[in-house]
Amino acid sequence: MKLLVLDGNSILNRAFYGIKLLTTKDGRYTNAIFGFLSMYLALRDQARPDGIAVAFDVKAPTFRHEMYSGYKSQRKGMPPELAEQLPVLKELLTAMGLRVLECPGWEADDILGTLAYSCADDDCILATGDRDALQLVSDRVQVWLTKTRETMRYTPAVLQEEYGLTPAQLIDLKALMGDSSDNIPGVPGVGQKTAQTLLTQFGTLENLYANLDDASIKVGLRAKLDSGRDSAFMSRELGTIAKNAPIPCDLASYVPQPPDAAKVTRMMAELEMFRLLERLNLPPAGAAGAPPELSQRNFTEQHDLPALLARLGERVHLTAQFSGDLLEGLTIAEAEQDSLVLCGTGGFFGFAKTLLESPQPIYCDNSKALCRWALQNGVAARNIVFDAALAAYLLNPAGSGYDAARLLQEYACVDFTALCAKLENLLREQGQWALYTEVELPLACVLAQMELHGFAVDAARIAAYGDELGERLDELTREIIELAGGEFNLNSPKQLGEVLFERLGLKPPKKTKTGYSTSAEVLEELRSHHPIIGLILDYRVLQKLKSTYCDGLQKVIDADGRVRSTLNQTETRTGRISSSEPNLQNIPIRRAEGRQLRQCFVAAPGHKLVMADYSQIELRVMAAMAQETTMIAAFAAGEDIHTATASQVFGLPPFMVLPEMRSRAKAVNFGIVYGIGPFSLAKDIGVSMKEAKEYIDGYFAHYPKVQAFRQRLIDQATERGYAESLFGRRRALPELANSQRQLREFGQRVAVNMPVQGTAADIIKMAMVRVAQRLERENLQARLILQVHDELILEAPAAEAEQAAIVLREEMQNAAQLAVPMLVDVKIAETWEK
């Protein structure tokens, strides 16, 4: 028999501190549970045990505390974010059919020791993050030391190679050197290296003290050992893992029991750990557990379809199965039994077209995909009134997925109809119904149209530009290698670190566990220290432009000469739309090389690109939300806000503001939106922290309502547990109640910037919906083709370009009514680079 024993507290602690804090949408912490279960599943799969036990400490004194009152006395209490996860994990492990062991008066280590001792004729694996357990290694017992990225397997041979000692000698090692983490004193003044040397020579603690007058022991060390004799033997008792804890020693009792599938499924769904749930491979939960799988019927005859349509009544609830753009099937929710209509069914297209064009309101799980399919196939899908994925995203923008099966588990609903009703009620309760129905839902079909339309590119120009970048990269490579004094792989962080910090002797600002950091942040700090740094930074920018965009784009140009990006509506926590495959929002435009790449994106023959972007939308939103009259007045007068701010902060008339002053005022303006502090501002603009603090203090002195607004946002978010945009978009912020200062400060920064960023995201989305609807109303052929942060791009027939520009400007300016004007810059051009 093979037994796997997990040191519960040790692994849970490693998980908690090794994984960033994760929470459910209602604010419960889950990172330790997630990490523990991930490690457990990995250990289980590697070990393939017959029996499994999980040992936990009990919060009560043990026999070691009675022996020595200082034992573990310096240990801090468990953080509340971890403490709340411990009972949940124990309950979950028990529901999974695993044996959870706790023994008052004994430690988890003693449970490991007792079970290891019981495996005289069996194999035992002790999984822990604590090296104390290495003393238990034997021919039948391995200790698997869990680390962040790997698991070290210890056998007697491995121990001998690493320590030069036997497992039993490790106890004497701790007796001599002590253990600060457990407050075991050892012999004062004796460290690990000395203790190992002594044990290598004398074998055991008893033999060492029996030969204390040996001439090889230096006088000073002999004195330390002599005075620390009692401490050494007490420390050995404290550090010896017991093997007689009162627990069942019949290994057969640790064979996992059948799991309570219903309870495990419910708990994992509440914890929002759906991928881990899949890895558990639980048997069906049954009627009393989580929602059972949908009961499905295949319709194979065309005459069945009208009968199904007739039964659906006033509302249609359906989930759609897609493979890429191919609609493979529709699952229709019915009162008694759901119906699956497959693509291969006779008359499927006619059925789907009739369904989507019928007057019944449709509640679905992926409106964008359905709209794409409808647009591709000439179907007028105008009756989609609810999208469960979009609803769930608004309710929990930090979710890891929004497919219907997951949502049924997460919201404990027995069917899709109930799920939609529950999501709708929650949206109404949270005041998000208008944001959902007027913005997110209609936007999905706008995005579908944009994805299908795509953006025309000049393939030949992209190829030529890629060749040009390749030549420049070759030149940079030669210059860098010459300055480095020899060949090395520029794309290897390890080799680059060795060149910079060993060969060239630069002082590294930071060093990671895996070696020298050569991140962009580190290199920027070193830019002025050596000419090679600027060349390396240039190389990285051009390398990304060439590989990601020039080379990458050529692979995704469709036969019609257009590139089609996926526009993601449910990914960001602030509500912004993201772009992928390819990402067209991330082309670096601060450099001429990035702007040159934009010249490769063109209008189709006979068309023009109409491009518009909001001017300083986040600053305008902040001024309006803060009701900062001085800033509002500057925007209303059409002043340059950065010059106006510099004028206020530096106490100068606008005409005396120097470019450097304006630049610093600009950094403060935008930094305030992101909750910047003096340290970060000083780093951004290259001034001392004292100067940066003076800039911020001066800013708040002239814009006092902004400072009050920031504090109001923090207070509100702390009280409510979430930050909120002007239009009701929410982001949960459990970090504000965290016991760790750094996390609380992160939460405060998000509490300040999310309402502003979220409101700006809402406005651009409103504008997209308004623009698309007006173009349709006025029968214009112009179409939205891309959104990049605060910019919208239309492609219009050349004859319509001027009219399209008017539509774009008016709808963007009027998307929201704020206390400041929404200034929009509009241009008409042949290429994206205006």
Side-chain angles (χ1 to χ4, degrees):
M1 181 174 177
K2 184 190 291 185
L3 179 67
L4 171 64
V5 188
L6 284 78
D7 184 347
N9 289 82
S10 172
I11 295 177
L12 189 68
N13 270 280
R14 281 194 176 269
F16 178 75
Y17 290 106
I19 300 175
K20 68 176 183 179
L21 281 177
L22 303 173
T23 62
T24 60
K25 59 181 177 294
D26 57 0
R28 286 178 293 170
Y29 291 99
T30 60
N31 61 318
I33 299 173
F34 175 83
F36 186 100
L37 292 177
S38 297
M39 283 191 265
Y40 158 68
L41 290 171
L43 291 166
R44 184 198 66 180
D45 294 345
Q46 294 171 39
R48 298 184 179 278
D50 304 297
I52 301 173
V54 188
F56 286 99
D57 291 325
V58 176
K59 190 177 181 180
T62 68
F63 65 90
R64 293 181 180 87
H65 293 89
E66 296 174 5
M67 183 189 310
Y68 175 53
S69 61
Y71 181 67
K72 293 188 177 182
S73 60
Q74 85 295 357
R75 290 257 181 119
K76 294 182 179 179
M78 186 180 289
E81 297 82 12
L82 173 57
E84 73 174 50
Q85 298 181 62
L86 183 57
V88 179
L89 176 64
K90 292 177 183 177
E91 183 181 0
L92 184 56
L93 292 172
T94 302
M96 289 165 58
L98 305 182
R99 189 71 178 267
V100 173
L101 295 172
E102 296 175 305
C103 197
W106 305 74
E107 296 183 41
D109 280 354
D110 301 321
I111 296 174
L112 267 65
T114 303
L115 290 175
Y117 183 70
S118 301
C119 289
D121 300 316
D122 297 279
D123 293 323
C124 181
I125 295 171
L126 307 176
T128 179
D130 189 347
R131 287 181 176 268
D132 289 350
L134 294 178
Q135 64 182 266
L136 301 172
V137 169
S138 70
D139 291 337
R140 303 306 296 262
V141 177
Q142 289 188 21
V143 169
W144 288 11
L145 202 64
T146 58
K147 295 186 176 182
T148 305
R149 293 184 177 87
E150 60 180 339
T151 298
M152 298 290 294
R153 303 185 183 189
Y154 282 88
T155 63
V158 174
L159 270 183
Q160 186 65 37
E161 181 180 349
E162 183 170 326
Y163 288 93
L165 301 174
T166 65
Q169 286 178 306
L170 291 180
I171 306 173
D172 290 348
L173 180 69
K174 178 171 284 195
L176 290 169
M177 63 180 282
D179 184 347
S180 59
S181 65
D182 289 342
N183 205 32
I184 295 176
V187 175
V190 174
Q192 181 173 337
K193 186 175 180 180
T194 300
Q196 283 182 245
T197 302
L198 290 170
L199 290 173
T200 300
Q201 180 178 354
F202 295 100
T204 65
L205 193 65
E206 287 86 357
N207 197 39
L208 168 62
Y209 275 100
N211 294 279
L212 202 56
D213 57 354
D214 191 287
S216 64
I217 303 177
K218 294 181 180 179
V219 175
L221 177 58
R222 183 182 298 118
K224 292 176 182 177
L225 290 169
D226 189 35
S227 63
R229 181 190 300 264
D230 291 343
S231 179
F233 282 95
M234 180 191 71
S235 295
R236 185 168 71 170
E237 286 191 66
L238 290 173
T240 301
I241 294 176
K243 299 177 180 177
N244 60 337
I247 59 171
C249 292
D250 176 12
L251 300 188
S253 65
Y254 296 103
V255 174
Q257 300 300 302
D260 184 340
K263 184 173 183 178
V264 173
T265 300
R266 175 182 58 77
M267 291 186 70
M268 295 287 278
E270 290 174 353
L271 295 169
E272 299 171 17
M273 297 181 184
F274 302 102
R275 291 180 184 173
L276 278 179
L277 180 58
E278 292 172 5
R279 290 177 60 190
L280 291 177
N281 294 320
L282 295 174
E293 292 186 6
L294 294 174
S295 175
Q296 299 175 338
R297 287 183 289 166
N298 292 335
F299 278 59
T300 56
E301 299 295 332
Q302 186 171 350
H303 67 265
D304 290 328
L305 303 181
L308 174 59
L309 277 172
R311 291 200 303 272
L312 295 181
E314 296 181 356
R315 294 182 176 183
V316 177
H317 290 79
L318 62 85
T319 55
Q321 291 78 51
F322 281 92
S323 176
D325 285 340
L326 175 64
L327 178 60
E328 295 187 325
L330 294 169
T331 300
I332 316 297
E334 296 192 73
E336 297 180 359
Q337 187 179 42
D338 295 334
S339 299
L340 173 65
V341 187
L342 295 173
C343 183
T345 304
F348 174 79
F349 177 81
F351 166 74
K353 185 175 188 300
T354 301
L355 182 64
L356 292 177
E357 292 182 343
S358 67
Q360 291 115 310
I362 290 179
Y363 288 65
C364 70
D365 64 332
N366 190 338
S367 59
K368 189 180 78 168
L370 276 177
C371 286
R372 274 181 63 110
W373 180 86
L375 288 167
Q376 285 175 305
N377 292 279
V379 175
R382 299 184 179 277
N383 57 340
I384 296 175
V385 300
F386 195 85
D387 182 332
L390 290 179
Y393 167 67
L394 267 186
L395 293 168
N396 179 25
S400 57
Y402 303 98
D403 59 273
R406 174 175 294 189
L407 295 177
L408 284 169
Q409 292 179 325
E410 183 175 342
Y411 288 92
C413 293
V414 294
D415 57 44
F416 187 67
T417 303
L419 172 67
C420 291
K422 188 167 189 176
L423 294 174
E424 180 175 337
N425 288 337
L426 287 171
L427 287 172
R428 291 182 184 277
E429 289 172 10
Q430 294 187 182
Q432 295 182 298
W433 186 244
L435 179 65
Y436 175 73
T437 56
E438 297 172 16
V439 182
E440 294 292 354
L441 191 61
L443 178 66
C445 286
V446 175
L447 295 178
Q449 186 181 71
M450 293 168 67
E451 288 180 349
L452 281 176
H453 203 73
F455 204 143
V457 293
D458 186 332
R461 186 182 292 184
I462 289 178
Y465 187 46
D467 293 340
E468 179 186 330
L469 288 176
E471 293 174 4
R472 293 180 61 187
L473 285 167
D474 289 341
E475 292 175 10
L476 280 172
T477 300
R478 286 192 293 271
E479 292 179 48
I480 291 169
I481 288 174
E482 182 178 348
L483 287 171
E487 295 275 349
F488 73 98
N489 182 358
L490 273 69
N491 298 314
S492 166
K494 183 176 184 296
Q495 292 186 34
L496 177 59
E498 291 169 354
V499 166
L500 296 180
F501 307 119
E502 294 178 10
R503 189 186 301 176
L504 298 180
L506 297 176
K507 185 179 179 181
K510 64 174 71 172
K511 190 173 182 179
T512 66
K513 293 180 180 179
T514 56
Y516 298 107
S517 172
T518 59
S519 67
E521 180 185 9
V522 167
L523 294 185
E524 283 292 349
E525 287 186 44
L526 296 171
R527 184 188 281 272
S528 61
H529 293 218
H530 198 286
I532 198 174
I533 303 297
L535 297 179
I536 291 167
L537 288 167
D538 287 346
Y539 176 89
R540 286 184 172 178
V541 171
L542 300 188
Q543 176 71 10
K544 182 173 183 180
L545 276 173
K546 185 179 187 309
S547 61
T548 303
Y549 294 104
C550 290
D551 297 345
L553 282 172
Q554 291 181 71
K555 298 174 183 176
V556 294
I557 300 174
D558 291 333
D560 60 357
R562 302 181 79 88
V563 168
R564 292 173 169 84
S565 174
T566 298
L567 300 171
N568 307 300
Q569 195 176 354
T570 60
E571 279 199 356
T572 69
R573 298 189 182 190
T574 59
R576 281 188 177 272
I577 297 164
S578 66
S579 164
S580 60
E581 301 176 352
N583 182 356
L584 299 183
Q585 295 182 334
N586 208 29
I587 298 174
I589 59 170
R590 292 184 179 179
R591 294 178 60 114
E593 294 87 357
R595 294 193 295 272
Q596 191 172 343
L597 180 62
R598 280 193 168 190
Q599 293 178 9
C600 301
F601 289 82
V602 300
H607 289 67
K608 298 282 188 181
L609 296 179
V610 184
M611 298 162 285
D613 60 79
Y614 282 113
S615 173
Q616 302 161 340
I617 185 172
E618 291 184 353
L619 291 180
R620 293 170 186 269
V621 166
M622 184 179 71
M625 293 181 73
Q627 299 178 345
E628 178 49 72
T629 52
T630 304
M631 193 177 290
I632 291 172
F635 278 126
E639 297 177 17
D640 176 87
I641 192 63
H642 303 312
T643 300
T645 298
S647 174
Q648 295 283 339
V649 171
F650 293 106
L652 295 171
F655 70 88
M656 292 185 66
V657 171
L658 300 175
E660 183 182 30
M661 295 177 179
R662 182 187 183 278
S663 177
R664 291 181 177 180
K666 181 178 179 180
V668 176
N669 268 328
F670 285 113
I672 293 299
V673 174
Y674 292 91
I676 201 168
F679 177 79
S680 297
L681 179 62
K683 199 171 183 180
D684 288 349
I685 63 177
V687 299
S688 68
M689 274 192 62
K690 181 175 181 293
E691 286 179 283
K693 186 176 186 304
E694 289 173 354
Y695 291 151
I696 293 175
D697 290 345
Y699 181 95
F700 286 138
H702 290 283
Y703 297 134
K705 290 187 177 179
V706 172
Q707 187 172 24
F709 170 65
R710 284 163 51 96
Q711 190 58 51
R712 185 165 71 249
L713 291 176
I714 293 171
D715 293 342
Q716 288 176 348
T718 302
E719 179 184 351
R720 300 169 177 173
Y722 61 86
E724 189 174 34
S725 78
L726 196 60
F727 301 99
R729 187 178 304 278
R730 293 184 179 184
R731 175 174 175 176
L733 286 175
E735 294 89 349
L736 289 170
N738 197 274
S739 62
Q740 298 180 41
R741 178 181 58 82
Q742 288 181 323
L743 284 169
R744 286 199 307 275
E745 290 176 350
F746 167 78
Q748 290 170 0
R749 289 194 296 274
V750 176
V752 170
N753 68 50
M754 184 276 163
V756 176
Q757 286 186 321
T759 299
D762 294 341
I763 291 171
I764 195 78
K765 286 181 171 181
M766 293 173 184
M768 294 171 72
V769 172
R770 290 170 64 102
V771 167
Q773 291 176 344
R774 183 166 167 188
L775 291 174
E776 185 175 359
R777 281 199 313 271
E778 297 187 6
N779 296 315
L780 296 175
Q781 298 302 305
R783 291 291 180 267
L784 278 168
I785 60 172
L786 190 62
Q787 181 264 348
V788 181
H789 307 313
D790 305 328
E791 178 183 20
L792 293 183
I793 304 174
L794 291 176
E795 185 178 56
E800 284 186 8
E802 294 293 342
Q803 189 176 356
I806 293 172
V807 169
L808 196 54
R809 183 190 301 277
E810 290 181 353
E811 297 307 325
M812 289 179 70
Q813 287 180 339
N814 296 312
Q817 301 302 313
L818 301 179
V820 294
M822 303 299 290
L823 188 62
V824 177
D825 299 319
V826 183
K827 294 183 180 178
I828 300 172
E830 301 284 345
T831 74
W832 189 3
E833 173 55 18
K834 301 126 178 154

